[in-house]
Amino acid sequence: MLNPTLHRRALLGGALAAGGGAAISALFPQWARAQTAHLPAGGADALTGEEIALSIARTPFTLGGRTGSATTVNGTLPGPLIRLREGQDVRLSVTNHLDVDSSIHWHGLLVPFQMDGVPGVTFPGIRPNETFRYGFPIRQSGTYWYHSHSGGQEGTGLIGPIVIDPAAGERVHADREMIVMLSDWSFMTPMEILRKLKAQPDYFNYQQQAWFEAPSGKPMSVADKLKWGRMRMSPSDIADVTGATYTYLVNGQGPDANWTGLFRPGERVRLRVINSSAMTIFNLRIPGLPLTVVAADGSDVKPVETDEIQIGVAETYDLIVTPDDRAYTLFAESVDRSGYARGTLAPRAGMTAPIPPLRKPPLLTMKDMGMGGMAGMAGMSGMDHAMNHGADGGMKMHGSMSMRDPANAPGVALTPGVDMIAPMPVDRTGDRGLGLDGVKHRVLVYTDLEAPEPRHDISPPTREIVVHLTGNMERYMWSFDGRRFSEIVEPIRLARDERVRFKLVNETMMTHPIHLHGFLFDLVNGKGDRLPKKHTVNVLPGGFVAFDLTADEPGDWAFHCHLLLHMMSGMFNVVTVRPLDGGAA
């Protein structure tokens, strides 16, 4: 049964939210409200201290004049800000008022594995009308977030921010801070979206290439169209779920609501940007305002200035901006450019700035097909002489190149869930995200990130584990090494305290944000003893990214693509570190 007070508040929230922007703001958590100064940091209603209570329930949620049902924490979407301090202990009592199991995972936090909140891996989940008490020490600082790991609830609203203040104070000073939580919302449930994708994988793709016109402005030649058709692939497969069903949100508010953060001209404003969406990679920029990146996935980095960031699902970036006495549009364009989330930074309430037009949708290239080693070939048309259609339905090329050659990916099971193997994947750690190669301004790449000081905890790995990100877009099947989680018998086993390199090879034509629970790993990006720490990494199509970790967190840890439906479809495994404390070596 719902808590009566909570339920009444939720109903009021839903009813008033339909009334307009001011009413909407009044019922969001303080940290998420618009037209407020967001000072002091954290706000009056942040949940702090060593004892925190959270309630999960169904709540009416109104967007664009239409009301649906959301899964919320303490009656709001997003949920309340949890603000902690490095070095403290915390106990979080989470009560499930749903009629189905639920859970909360503390994304990016270093916790005992039993507290990680993944049903079936680290605990059984929270039954209806039960309370689960999480408890752990806070061993880090930075910007993080929490979300459900049950039944697609993350995609129906069960998300919220976590900020952990460093024990020794922030490395980089700011006069003001704002949380910018990006998300996506559909009145269609995640399970219904998944059902439609299973039946028709391009169901939500309204930007497909046509014979005579194309959203990209570059119609394909007949020859190229036939080649893509033989591969049973589309160069416009940039995102599975698009603006055709999603509304993109800033702090729970749609573009028309125009969430606005207020500042005083000349202040240094820290933006804690969290991509908490279910399925949407965003390209974030604030036209006219340089962005200085000071932290990635909660860990400080040497400040680096840029103009645009492609932020994968589940990644976080802390940005310092110094705005003048004018309004700026905070513009987060979905990677396929089918829609955008929009907010405003302004010195006074009610001010707005021009909204940039959506740029033309990008198209996949040879490099995204895993032919990055053929960089000298400008396009598909130059490959006429080299391609043949193989008997297995895959695309064959003369010589050793094939779009489904097992020799190119030893260890991958060529199950029906694998429709391509990238013939020549390349290191894409230094690449801009999809669609950003041609923009004239600066774009953050992973090789821009480095730790602010030399690190003394980095040592060479003693072995490498190659994990292939695989899938069959036509059947909407996703997997690691050709095996869906339900088919995997063995987890990835690590010996406690061993140093391991993971190499993630993307054999598909979609970007996958891969997240490993329980660790902040060292992104291998050529920075020597200044490797940046992260918990999630975007792996571009046809490319690979590597990270090192020391297996000093014993237990069982989820390891998965953070695109919700990819995870639910099978791109998931468990990394197990043994021995446990007190266990046999």
Side-chain angles (χ1 to χ4, degrees), residues 533-563:
K533 292 184 176 182
K534 286 182 71 37
H535 51 60
T536 305
V537 62
N538 248 357
V539 188
L540 296 177
F544 61 81
V545 174
F547 63 79
D548 294 346
L549 66 84
T550 301
D552 53 3
E553 301 287 346
D556 299 321
W557 303 104
F559 175 57
H560 61 92
C561 178
H562 222 285
L563 296 176

PDB file of all heavy atoms in Angstrom, residues 533-563:
ATOM      1  N   LYS A 533      40.534   8.128 -14.003  1.00  0.00           N
ATOM      2  CA  LYS A 533      39.663   7.073 -13.490  1.00  0.00           C
ATOM      3  C   LYS A 533      38.245   7.267 -14.021  1.00  0.00           C
ATOM      4  O   LYS A 533      37.753   8.379 -14.090  1.00  0.00           O
ATOM      5  CB  LYS A 533      39.636   7.110 -11.961  1.00  0.00           C
ATOM      6  CG  LYS A 533      40.940   6.717 -11.300  1.00  0.00           C
ATOM      7  CD  LYS A 533      40.765   6.694  -9.779  1.00  0.00           C
ATOM      8  CE  LYS A 533      42.035   6.212  -9.105  1.00  0.00           C
ATOM      9  NZ  LYS A 533      41.870   6.135  -7.630  1.00  0.00           N
ATOM     10  N   LYS A 534      37.620   6.174 -14.366  1.00  0.00           N
ATOM     11  CA  LYS A 534      36.223   6.215 -14.799  1.00  0.00           C
ATOM     12  C   LYS A 534      35.501   4.953 -14.332  1.00  0.00           C
ATOM     13  O   LYS A 534      36.124   3.992 -13.903  1.00  0.00           O
ATOM     14  CB  LYS A 534      36.124   6.327 -16.338  1.00  0.00           C
ATOM     15  CG  LYS A 534      36.471   7.726 -16.880  1.00  0.00           C
ATOM     16  CD  LYS A 534      36.336   7.832 -18.378  1.00  0.00           C
ATOM     17  CE  LYS A 534      34.956   7.821 -18.951  1.00  0.00           C
ATOM     18  NZ  LYS A 534      33.844   8.424 -18.372  1.00  0.00           N
ATOM     19  N   HIS A 535      34.153   5.001 -14.435  1.00  0.00           N
ATOM     20  CA  HIS A 535      33.373   3.801 -14.149  1.00  0.00           C
ATOM     21  C   HIS A 535      32.554   3.348 -15.360  1.00  0.00           C
ATOM     22  O   HIS A 535      31.983   2.269 -15.371  1.00  0.00           O
ATOM     23  CB  HIS A 535      32.446   3.996 -12.946  1.00  0.00           C
ATOM     24  CG  HIS A 535      31.581   5.246 -13.022  1.00  0.00           C
ATOM     25  ND1 HIS A 535      30.672   5.471 -14.033  1.00  0.00           N
ATOM     26  CD2 HIS A 535      31.489   6.313 -12.188  1.00  0.00           C
ATOM     27  CE1 HIS A 535      30.047   6.617 -13.823  1.00  0.00           C
ATOM     28  NE2 HIS A 535      30.523   7.160 -12.723  1.00  0.00           N
ATOM     29  N   THR A 536      32.490   4.209 -16.383  1.00  0.00           N
ATOM     30  CA  THR A 536      31.718   3.897 -17.589  1.00  0.00           C
ATOM     31  C   THR A 536      32.504   4.422 -18.780  1.00  0.00           C
ATOM     32  O   THR A 536      33.082   5.507 -18.710  1.00  0.00           O
ATOM     33  CB  THR A 536      30.339   4.587 -17.542  1.00  0.00           C
ATOM     34  OG1 THR A 536      29.661   4.208 -16.338  1.00  0.00           O
ATOM     35  CG2 THR A 536      29.477   4.199 -18.735  1.00  0.00           C
ATOM     36  N   VAL A 537      32.507   3.658 -19.854  1.00  0.00           N
ATOM     37  CA  VAL A 537      33.242   4.107 -21.027  1.00  0.00           C
ATOM     38  C   VAL A 537      32.417   3.853 -22.289  1.00  0.00           C
ATOM     39  O   VAL A 537      31.838   2.779 -22.459  1.00  0.00           O
ATOM     40  CB  VAL A 537      34.617   3.402 -21.107  1.00  0.00           C
ATOM     41  CG1 VAL A 537      34.477   1.898 -21.254  1.00  0.00           C
ATOM     42  CG2 VAL A 537      35.482   3.988 -22.193  1.00  0.00           C
ATOM     43  N   ASN A 538      32.346   4.878 -23.123  1.00  0.00           N
ATOM     44  CA  ASN A 538      31.655   4.763 -24.411  1.00  0.00           C
ATOM     45  C   ASN A 538      32.572   4.059 -25.399  1.00  0.00           C
ATOM     46  O   ASN A 538      33.689   4.524 -25.639  1.00  0.00           O
ATOM     47  CB  ASN A 538      31.360   6.165 -24.949  1.00  0.00           C
ATOM     48  CG  ASN A 538      29.887   6.488 -24.971  1.00  0.00           C
ATOM     49  OD1 ASN A 538      29.040   5.658 -24.642  1.00  0.00           O
ATOM     50  ND2 ASN A 538      29.562   7.705 -25.343  1.00  0.00           N
ATOM     51  N   VAL A 539      32.132   2.964 -25.967  1.00  0.00           N
ATOM     52  CA  VAL A 539      32.942   2.267 -26.975  1.00  0.00           C
ATOM     53  C   VAL A 539      32.295   2.510 -28.339  1.00  0.00           C
ATOM     54  O   VAL A 539      31.174   2.055 -28.590  1.00  0.00           O
ATOM     55  CB  VAL A 539      33.045   0.759 -26.682  1.00  0.00           C
ATOM     56  CG1 VAL A 539      34.058   0.112 -27.633  1.00  0.00           C
ATOM     57  CG2 VAL A 539      33.444   0.516 -25.223  1.00  0.00           C
ATOM     58  N   LEU A 540      32.987   3.238 -29.185  1.00  0.00           N
ATOM     59  CA  LEU A 540      32.419   3.611 -30.480  1.00  0.00           C
ATOM     60  C   LEU A 540      32.345   2.407 -31.412  1.00  0.00           C
ATOM     61  O   LEU A 540      33.126   1.451 -31.280  1.00  0.00           O
ATOM     62  CB  LEU A 540      33.249   4.725 -31.107  1.00  0.00           C
ATOM     63  CG  LEU A 540      33.268   6.056 -30.326  1.00  0.00           C
ATOM     64  CD1 LEU A 540      34.191   7.064 -30.999  1.00  0.00           C
ATOM     65  CD2 LEU A 540      31.864   6.639 -30.217  1.00  0.00           C
ATOM     66  N   PRO A 541      31.446   2.435 -32.388  1.00  0.00           N
ATOM     67  CA  PRO A 541      31.287   1.297 -33.307  1.00  0.00           C
ATOM     68  C   PRO A 541      32.576   0.986 -34.044  1.00  0.00           C
ATOM     69  O   PRO A 541      33.313   1.882 -34.453  1.00  0.00           O
ATOM     70  CB  PRO A 541      30.210   1.787 -34.283  1.00  0.00           C
ATOM     71  CG  PRO A 541      29.527   2.900 -33.599  1.00  0.00           C
ATOM     72  CD  PRO A 541      30.519   3.520 -32.662  1.00  0.00           C
ATOM     73  N   GLY A 542      32.831  -0.301 -34.206  1.00  0.00           N
ATOM     74  CA  GLY A 542      34.004  -0.721 -34.971  1.00  0.00           C
ATOM     75  C   GLY A 542      35.323  -0.330 -34.336  1.00  0.00           C
ATOM     76  O   GLY A 542      36.342  -0.319 -35.004  1.00  0.00           O
ATOM     77  N   GLY A 543      35.309  -0.040 -33.053  1.00  0.00           N
ATOM     78  CA  GLY A 543      36.539   0.375 -32.395  1.00  0.00           C
ATOM     79  C   GLY A 543      36.739  -0.349 -31.085  1.00  0.00           C
ATOM     80  O   GLY A 543      35.955  -1.222 -30.710  1.00  0.00           O
ATOM     81  N   PHE A 544      37.821  -0.013 -30.410  1.00  0.00           N
ATOM     82  CA  PHE A 544      38.039  -0.604 -29.096  1.00  0.00           C
ATOM     83  C   PHE A 544      38.568   0.435 -28.121  1.00  0.00           C
ATOM     84  O   PHE A 544      39.134   1.462 -28.517  1.00  0.00           O
ATOM     85  CB  PHE A 544      38.958  -1.827 -29.152  1.00  0.00           C
ATOM     86  CG  PHE A 544      40.352  -1.575 -29.671  1.00  0.00           C
ATOM     87  CD1 PHE A 544      41.340  -1.046 -28.841  1.00  0.00           C
ATOM     88  CD2 PHE A 544      40.680  -1.885 -30.981  1.00  0.00           C
ATOM     89  CE1 PHE A 544      42.623  -0.828 -29.315  1.00  0.00           C
ATOM     90  CE2 PHE A 544      41.968  -1.661 -31.471  1.00  0.00           C
ATOM     91  CZ  PHE A 544      42.936  -1.131 -30.626  1.00  0.00           C
ATOM     92  N   VAL A 545      38.344   0.149 -26.854  1.00  0.00           N
ATOM     93  CA  VAL A 545      38.815   0.966 -25.749  1.00  0.00           C
ATOM     94  C   VAL A 545      39.336  -0.005 -24.697  1.00  0.00           C
ATOM     95  O   VAL A 545      38.796  -1.108 -24.539  1.00  0.00           O
ATOM     96  CB  VAL A 545      37.678   1.833 -25.166  1.00  0.00           C
ATOM     97  CG1 VAL A 545      38.142   2.571 -23.915  1.00  0.00           C
ATOM     98  CG2 VAL A 545      37.168   2.832 -26.199  1.00  0.00           C
ATOM     99  N   ALA A 546      40.387   0.397 -23.976  1.00  0.00           N
ATOM    100  CA  ALA A 546      40.938  -0.480 -22.942  1.00  0.00           C
ATOM    101  C   ALA A 546      40.965   0.252 -21.607  1.00  0.00           C
ATOM    102  O   ALA A 546      41.086   1.479 -21.553  1.00  0.00           O
ATOM    103  CB  ALA A 546      42.341  -0.934 -23.322  1.00  0.00           C
ATOM    104  N   PHE A 547      40.825  -0.527 -20.549  1.00  0.00           N
ATOM    105  CA  PHE A 547      41.026   0.024 -19.208  1.00  0.00           C
ATOM    106  C   PHE A 547      41.705  -1.020 -18.339  1.00  0.00           C
ATOM    107  O   PHE A 547      41.595  -2.232 -18.578  1.00  0.00           O
ATOM    108  CB  PHE A 547      39.710   0.499 -18.579  1.00  0.00           C
ATOM    109  CG  PHE A 547      38.676  -0.558 -18.331  1.00  0.00           C
ATOM    110  CD1 PHE A 547      38.748  -1.409 -17.226  1.00  0.00           C
ATOM    111  CD2 PHE A 547      37.590  -0.705 -19.189  1.00  0.00           C
ATOM    112  CE1 PHE A 547      37.780  -2.373 -16.993  1.00  0.00           C
ATOM    113  CE2 PHE A 547      36.616  -1.669 -18.958  1.00  0.00           C
ATOM    114  CZ  PHE A 547      36.708  -2.506 -17.859  1.00  0.00           C
ATOM    115  N   ASP A 548      42.455  -0.526 -17.351  1.00  0.00           N
ATOM    116  CA  ASP A 548      43.151  -1.390 -16.399  1.00  0.00           C
ATOM    117  C   ASP A 548      42.484  -1.257 -15.038  1.00  0.00           C
ATOM    118  O   ASP A 548      41.957  -0.199 -14.691  1.00  0.00           O
ATOM    119  CB  ASP A 548      44.622  -0.975 -16.257  1.00  0.00           C
ATOM    120  CG  ASP A 548      45.421  -1.190 -17.538  1.00  0.00           C
ATOM    121  OD1 ASP A 548      44.921  -1.896 -18.443  1.00  0.00           O
ATOM    122  OD2 ASP A 548      46.529  -0.633 -17.629  1.00  0.00           O
ATOM    123  N   LEU A 549      42.539  -2.319 -14.283  1.00  0.00           N
ATOM    124  CA  LEU A 549      42.062  -2.240 -12.900  1.00  0.00           C
ATOM    125  C   LEU A 549      42.862  -3.205 -12.035  1.00  0.00           C
ATOM    126  O   LEU A 549      43.399  -4.216 -12.513  1.00  0.00           O
ATOM    127  CB  LEU A 549      40.561  -2.521 -12.793  1.00  0.00           C
ATOM    128  CG  LEU A 549      40.036  -3.923 -13.124  1.00  0.00           C
ATOM    129  CD1 LEU A 549      40.151  -4.887 -11.939  1.00  0.00           C
ATOM    130  CD2 LEU A 549      38.562  -3.833 -13.531  1.00  0.00           C
ATOM    131  N   THR A 550      42.933  -2.856 -10.771  1.00  0.00           N
ATOM    132  CA  THR A 550      43.484  -3.749  -9.768  1.00  0.00           C
ATOM    133  C   THR A 550      42.299  -4.381  -9.048  1.00  0.00           C
ATOM    134  O   THR A 550      41.443  -3.670  -8.514  1.00  0.00           O
ATOM    135  CB  THR A 550      44.366  -2.982  -8.774  1.00  0.00           C
ATOM    136  OG1 THR A 550      45.427  -2.347  -9.498  1.00  0.00           O
ATOM    137  CG2 THR A 550      44.951  -3.921  -7.734  1.00  0.00           C
ATOM    138  N   ALA A 551      42.246  -5.682  -9.046  1.00  0.00           N
ATOM    139  CA  ALA A 551      41.061  -6.395  -8.549  1.00  0.00           C
ATOM    140  C   ALA A 551      41.068  -6.441  -7.015  1.00  0.00           C
ATOM    141  O   ALA A 551      41.126  -7.508  -6.404  1.00  0.00           O
ATOM    142  CB  ALA A 551      41.012  -7.794  -9.143  1.00  0.00           C
ATOM    143  N   ASP A 552      40.973  -5.263  -6.432  1.00  0.00           N
ATOM    144  CA  ASP A 552      41.055  -5.180  -4.973  1.00  0.00           C
ATOM    145  C   ASP A 552      39.688  -5.013  -4.313  1.00  0.00           C
ATOM    146  O   ASP A 552      39.606  -4.635  -3.139  1.00  0.00           O
ATOM    147  CB  ASP A 552      41.992  -4.042  -4.565  1.00  0.00           C
ATOM    148  CG  ASP A 552      41.617  -2.718  -5.218  1.00  0.00           C
ATOM    149  OD1 ASP A 552      40.600  -2.684  -5.943  1.00  0.00           O
ATOM    150  OD2 ASP A 552      42.339  -1.723  -5.021  1.00  0.00           O
ATOM    151  N   GLU A 553      38.630  -5.248  -5.084  1.00  0.00           N
ATOM    152  CA  GLU A 553      37.274  -5.184  -4.524  1.00  0.00           C
ATOM    153  C   GLU A 553      36.658  -6.578  -4.639  1.00  0.00           C
ATOM    154  O   GLU A 553      36.088  -6.936  -5.663  1.00  0.00           O
ATOM    155  CB  GLU A 553      36.422  -4.157  -5.278  1.00  0.00           C
ATOM    156  CG  GLU A 553      36.975  -2.737  -5.270  1.00  0.00           C
ATOM    157  CD  GLU A 553      36.826  -2.069  -3.903  1.00  0.00           C
ATOM    158  OE1 GLU A 553      36.066  -2.602  -3.062  1.00  0.00           O
ATOM    159  OE2 GLU A 553      37.462  -1.020  -3.675  1.00  0.00           O
ATOM    160  N   PRO A 554      36.785  -7.393  -3.598  1.00  0.00           N
ATOM    161  CA  PRO A 554      36.283  -8.776  -3.698  1.00  0.00           C
ATOM    162  C   PRO A 554      34.757  -8.823  -3.812  1.00  0.00           C
ATOM    163  O   PRO A 554      34.049  -7.946  -3.308  1.00  0.00           O
ATOM    164  CB  PRO A 554      36.744  -9.394  -2.370  1.00  0.00           C
ATOM    165  CG  PRO A 554      36.879  -8.236  -1.435  1.00  0.00           C
ATOM    166  CD  PRO A 554      37.338  -7.077  -2.271  1.00  0.00           C
ATOM    167  N   GLY A 555      34.295  -9.857  -4.514  1.00  0.00           N
ATOM    168  CA  GLY A 555      32.848 -10.024  -4.644  1.00  0.00           C
ATOM    169  C   GLY A 555      32.422 -10.246  -6.077  1.00  0.00           C
ATOM    170  O   GLY A 555      33.247 -10.556  -6.952  1.00  0.00           O
ATOM    171  N   ASP A 556      31.143 -10.106  -6.323  1.00  0.00           N
ATOM    172  CA  ASP A 556      30.556 -10.283  -7.650  1.00  0.00           C
ATOM    173  C   ASP A 556      30.030  -8.937  -8.133  1.00  0.00           C
ATOM    174  O   ASP A 556      29.257  -8.276  -7.421  1.00  0.00           O
ATOM    175  CB  ASP A 556      29.416 -11.308  -7.603  1.00  0.00           C
ATOM    176  CG  ASP A 556      29.902 -12.671  -7.149  1.00  0.00           C
ATOM    177  OD1 ASP A 556      31.007 -13.074  -7.557  1.00  0.00           O
ATOM    178  OD2 ASP A 556      29.189 -13.321  -6.354  1.00  0.00           O
ATOM    179  N   TRP A 557      30.401  -8.583  -9.347  1.00  0.00           N
ATOM    180  CA  TRP A 557      30.092  -7.237  -9.847  1.00  0.00           C
ATOM    181  C   TRP A 557      29.436  -7.309 -11.222  1.00  0.00           C
ATOM    182  O   TRP A 557      29.947  -7.982 -12.113  1.00  0.00           O
ATOM    183  CB  TRP A 557      31.373  -6.409  -9.925  1.00  0.00           C
ATOM    184  CG  TRP A 557      32.094  -6.314  -8.607  1.00  0.00           C
ATOM    185  CD1 TRP A 557      33.222  -6.986  -8.238  1.00  0.00           C
ATOM    186  CD2 TRP A 557      31.705  -5.517  -7.481  1.00  0.00           C
ATOM    187  NE1 TRP A 557      33.566  -6.645  -6.957  1.00  0.00           N
ATOM    188  CE2 TRP A 557      32.664  -5.751  -6.462  1.00  0.00           C
ATOM    189  CE3 TRP A 557      30.662  -4.617  -7.233  1.00  0.00           C
ATOM    190  CZ2 TRP A 557      32.595  -5.133  -5.219  1.00  0.00           C
ATOM    191  CZ3 TRP A 557      30.586  -3.997  -6.003  1.00  0.00           C
ATOM    192  CH2 TRP A 557      31.543  -4.256  -5.010  1.00  0.00           C
ATOM    193  N   ALA A 558      28.357  -6.595 -11.373  1.00  0.00           N
ATOM    194  CA  ALA A 558      27.703  -6.519 -12.680  1.00  0.00           C
ATOM    195  C   ALA A 558      28.604  -5.782 -13.661  1.00  0.00           C
ATOM    196  O   ALA A 558      29.317  -4.831 -13.298  1.00  0.00           O
ATOM    197  CB  ALA A 558      26.362  -5.809 -12.547  1.00  0.00           C
ATOM    198  N   PHE A 559      28.543  -6.205 -14.897  1.00  0.00           N
ATOM    199  CA  PHE A 559      29.366  -5.664 -15.981  1.00  0.00           C
ATOM    200  C   PHE A 559      28.460  -5.657 -17.213  1.00  0.00           C
ATOM    201  O   PHE A 559      28.051  -6.716 -17.689  1.00  0.00           O
ATOM    202  CB  PHE A 559      30.580  -6.580 -16.168  1.00  0.00           C
ATOM    203  CG  PHE A 559      31.480  -6.228 -17.317  1.00  0.00           C
ATOM    204  CD1 PHE A 559      32.065  -4.982 -17.423  1.00  0.00           C
ATOM    205  CD2 PHE A 559      31.797  -7.181 -18.277  1.00  0.00           C
ATOM    206  CE1 PHE A 559      32.922  -4.674 -18.465  1.00  0.00           C
ATOM    207  CE2 PHE A 559      32.662  -6.884 -19.328  1.00  0.00           C
ATOM    208  CZ  PHE A 559      33.217  -5.624 -19.419  1.00  0.00           C
ATOM    209  N   HIS A 560      28.131  -4.470 -17.706  1.00  0.00           N
ATOM    210  CA  HIS A 560      27.074  -4.455 -18.733  1.00  0.00           C
ATOM    211  C   HIS A 560      27.087  -3.175 -19.550  1.00  0.00           C
ATOM    212  O   HIS A 560      27.673  -2.161 -19.160  1.00  0.00           O
ATOM    213  CB  HIS A 560      25.701  -4.613 -18.059  1.00  0.00           C
ATOM    214  CG  HIS A 560      25.355  -3.521 -17.084  1.00  0.00           C
ATOM    215  ND1 HIS A 560      24.658  -2.392 -17.450  1.00  0.00           N
ATOM    216  CD2 HIS A 560      25.604  -3.385 -15.753  1.00  0.00           C
ATOM    217  CE1 HIS A 560      24.481  -1.623 -16.386  1.00  0.00           C
ATOM    218  NE2 HIS A 560      25.047  -2.189 -15.338  1.00  0.00           N
ATOM    219  N   CYS A 561      26.396  -3.254 -20.685  1.00  0.00           N
ATOM    220  CA  CYS A 561      26.082  -2.050 -21.456  1.00  0.00           C
ATOM    221  C   CYS A 561      25.034  -1.268 -20.683  1.00  0.00           C
ATOM    222  O   CYS A 561      24.064  -1.846 -20.176  1.00  0.00           O
ATOM    223  CB  CYS A 561      25.554  -2.423 -22.840  1.00  0.00           C
ATOM    224  SG  CYS A 561      25.099  -0.984 -23.847  1.00  0.00           S
ATOM    225  N   HIS A 562      25.212   0.047 -20.594  1.00  0.00           N
ATOM    226  CA  HIS A 562      24.257   0.843 -19.819  1.00  0.00           C
ATOM    227  C   HIS A 562      23.103   1.355 -20.665  1.00  0.00           C
ATOM    228  O   HIS A 562      22.283   2.138 -20.187  1.00  0.00           O
ATOM    229  CB  HIS A 562      24.949   1.993 -19.093  1.00  0.00           C
ATOM    230  CG  HIS A 562      24.446   2.177 -17.692  1.00  0.00           C
ATOM    231  ND1 HIS A 562      23.213   2.739 -17.418  1.00  0.00           N
ATOM    232  CD2 HIS A 562      24.970   1.836 -16.501  1.00  0.00           C
ATOM    233  CE1 HIS A 562      23.032   2.758 -16.105  1.00  0.00           C
ATOM    234  NE2 HIS A 562      24.071   2.212 -15.517  1.00  0.00           N
ATOM    235  N   LEU A 563      23.009   0.955 -21.927  1.00  0.00           N
ATOM    236  CA  LEU A 563      21.760   1.171 -22.653  1.00  0.00           C
ATOM    237  C   LEU A 563      20.781   0.141 -22.090  1.00  0.00           C
ATOM    238  O   LEU A 563      21.002  -1.068 -22.201  1.00  0.00           O
ATOM    239  CB  LEU A 563      21.964   0.986 -24.152  1.00  0.00           C
ATOM    240  CG  LEU A 563      22.915   2.007 -24.817  1.00  0.00           C
ATOM    241  CD1 LEU A 563      23.114   1.676 -26.281  1.00  0.00           C
ATOM    242  CD2 LEU A 563      22.404   3.431 -24.650  1.00  0.00           C
TER     243      LEU A 563
END
